[in-house]
Amino acid sequence: LRVTSSQTVHLNHQSCQVLYQTSEMGGGHHYNPAAEPKPNQDVQAFVDAKTPIAFRDTCGHLLLKLNKCRRSTFYNPNQCEDERHIYEECQYNGYLQRIEAKKILASRERTLAAEAEE
């Protein structure tokens, strides 16, 4: 794991959760706890909302809120911007978590391979 001075990486080894905060110009990103992917979801809520299986991922709890807002505003594109942004941020955070988990697994495999050669 290589970290530059402009990045802060928080890694929870139990669930491989990674959150990036950057302070570079143009970034202005911040940690948003509402956009955190959740590994355990309420399956019955997905069934009740008739959410397709493809969308029942770690950010599905935010998709339920977004779709509820969309239906209540008749899919007005100027509404539900906050919900949409939080959902998309959650998707991005999930992507970062998967990439970091892949790096950790590759590092462990290289370590095991090096130990096996000795």
Side-chain angles (χ1 to χ4, degrees):
L1 179 65
R2 195 181 83 183
V3 180
T4 63
S5 62
S6 65
Q7 292 179 330
T8 304
V9 177
H10 304 282
L11 181 60
N12 180 343
H13 291 286
Q14 295 171 349
S15 61
C16 293
Q17 294 179 349
V18 177
L19 304 170
Y20 283 96
Q21 294 177 330
T22 61
S23 61
E24 296 178 5
M25 288 179 44
H29 301 288
H30 63 283
Y31 170 65
N32 184 357
E36 184 66 29
K38 293 183 180 177
N40 300 326
Q41 298 287 331
D42 182 17
V43 177
Q44 190 59 41
F46 290 130
V47 172
D48 294 341
K50 298 179 182 176
T51 305
I53 292 175
F55 294 102
R56 298 180 188 184
D57 59 358
T58 57
C59 297
H61 62 288
L62 297 171
L63 182 63
L64 295 176
K65 293 177 188 175
L66 175 60
N67 285 340
K68 183 178 179 181
C69 179
R70 286 174 171 167
R71 284 189 295 272
S72 67
T73 60
F74 299 102
Y75 291 86
N76 185 344
N78 298 326
Q79 302 294 321
C80 309
E81 291 177 351
D82 291 336
E83 290 86 351
R84 182 178 53 83
H85 177 72
I86 291 172
Y87 175 70
E88 290 174 353
E89 188 175 357
C90 180
Q91 292 287 321
Y92 180 69
N93 288 339
Y95 167 75
L96 291 178
Q97 288 178 1
R98 291 188 301 274
I99 295 299
E100 190 61 33
K102 186 175 180 180
K103 287 179 184 178
I104 291 170
L105 287 175
S107 173
R108 287 180 185 167
E109 288 176 358
R110 283 193 304 269
T111 304
L112 291 174
E115 289 175 356
E117 290 177 3
E118 295 176 355

